[in-house]
Amino acid sequence: MNSRTHSICKRTGLGMIAWSVFLAWGSDAWAGPAGRFLYSFGEVAVTSSKGESRPAQRGQQVNEGDLVITGPDGSAQLRMDDNGMLAIRANSRVRIDEFRYSGKEDGNERSFFALLQGGFRAITGAIGSLNKQNYRIRTPTATIGIRGTDHEPFFVPAGPHPFGDAAPGTYDKVNTGEAYIETTDGLLGISPNQVGFAAGQNARPVLLPAMPAFF
């Protein structure tokens, strides 16, 4: 981990142990191309599955296994190779666990992300349209799936975090289409203008009566 990435981790609250565990997820990935940065603003770093870190830049390629970390003033937008879009918020950590798209429907499409902190807005591309079961976002407390969607996953970790009084857990706000949050205790469908929430892996997901302030 270089000094820039270490600084962002320290400011966003990601400890060295959590960093090591998170890098270990999917570390055997093929690391093929997944997309490119359309823009990068403020503090944004990318760390590969091999632990090599670099500052994010417009036009830069992102690959399977890459972890994108944004600082308190950072944000970034990615265009995935299936024409999906990701707009990553400040104080976020998002990793591309697996991404496979050959340019046509062949059953091998994959778009799997890990969200450790913060959130992003995602407009799904061809993978979310052709094989919806092959698009997933995993957080430490839940799994988010879609049915052709513009949605906003968000994860608030337990302990100190930069998201005010937001309760720890997994959130998902749907703008268009449908999504779901799944835990070991159940599955919740989410429709447009609704926000789903799961406090933990063993908690049943629920719809929130009001929109959280961070959205």
Side-chain angles (χ1 to χ4, degrees), residues 72-84:
D73 68 342
S75 62
Q77 188 173 94
L78 303 175
R79 181 187 296 277
M80 309 308 291
D81 285 351
D82 71 336
N83 283 323

Side-chain angles (χ1 to χ4, degrees), residues 143-190:
T143 297
I144 295 172
I146 56 93
R147 299 181 177 91
T149 306
D150 172 348
H151 69 137
E152 300 180 48
F154 206 96
F155 178 70
V156 178
H161 60 73
F163 307 116
D165 59 358
T170 299
Y171 301 76
D172 195 32
K173 172 180 177 284
V174 172
N175 299 314
T176 60
E178 294 182 82
Y180 65 84
I181 294 179
E182 184 174 16
T183 67
T184 56
D185 197 43
L187 184 148
L188 172 75
I190 311 166

Side-chain angles (χ1 to χ4, degrees), residues 13 17-18 32 38 42-43 52 59-60 81 85 90 93 97 113 116 122 140:
I17 295 176
L38 291 180
E43 286 187 289
E52 299 166 341
Q60 183 182 88
D81 285 351
M85 303 284 288
R93 298 192 290 273
D97 267 355
F113 299 90
L116 185 63

Side-chain angles (χ1 to χ4, degrees), residues 72-122:
D73 68 342
S75 62
Q77 188 173 94
L78 303 175
R79 181 187 296 277
M80 309 308 291
D81 285 351
D82 71 336
N83 283 323
M85 303 284 288
L86 259 64
I88 303 175
R89 298 170 177 263
N91 290 313
S92 296
R93 298 192 290 273
V94 182
R95 197 186 65 229
I96 305 167
D97 267 355
E98 187 176 1
F99 191 92
R100 304 289 174 87
Y101 183 64
S102 66
K104 61 181 180 180
E105 184 178 3
D106 60 10
N108 294 313
E109 302 87 3
R110 298 286 188 276
S111 186
F112 298 156
F113 299 90
L115 176 61
L116 185 63
Q117 178 175 291
F120 56 88
R121 179 177 179 179

Side-chain angles (χ1 to χ4, degrees), residues 4-14 19 22 37 39-47 53-56 67-78 86-95 115-120 154 162-163:
R4 177 185 176 88
T5 305
H6 183 272
S7 174
I8 297 177
C9 288
K10 183 176 180 181
R11 293 176 66 186
T12 56
L14 178 59
W19 172 265
F22 196 57
F37 282 97
Y39 79 79
S40 171
F41 177 82
E43 286 187 289
V44 184
V46 182
T47 299
S53 186
R54 63 190 187 274
L67 171 65
V68 180
I69 306 175
T70 58
D73 68 342
S75 62
Q77 188 173 94
L78 303 175
L86 259 64
I88 303 175
R89 298 170 177 263
N91 290 313
S92 296
R93 298 192 290 273
V94 182
R95 197 186 65 229
L115 176 61
L116 185 63
Q117 178 175 291
F120 56 88
F154 206 96
F163 307 116

Side-chain angles (χ1 to χ4, degrees), residues 30-35 61-64 81 99-101:
W30 171 58
Q61 181 176 292
V62 289
N63 303 308
E64 285 186 323
D81 285 351
F99 191 92
R100 304 289 174 87
Y101 183 64

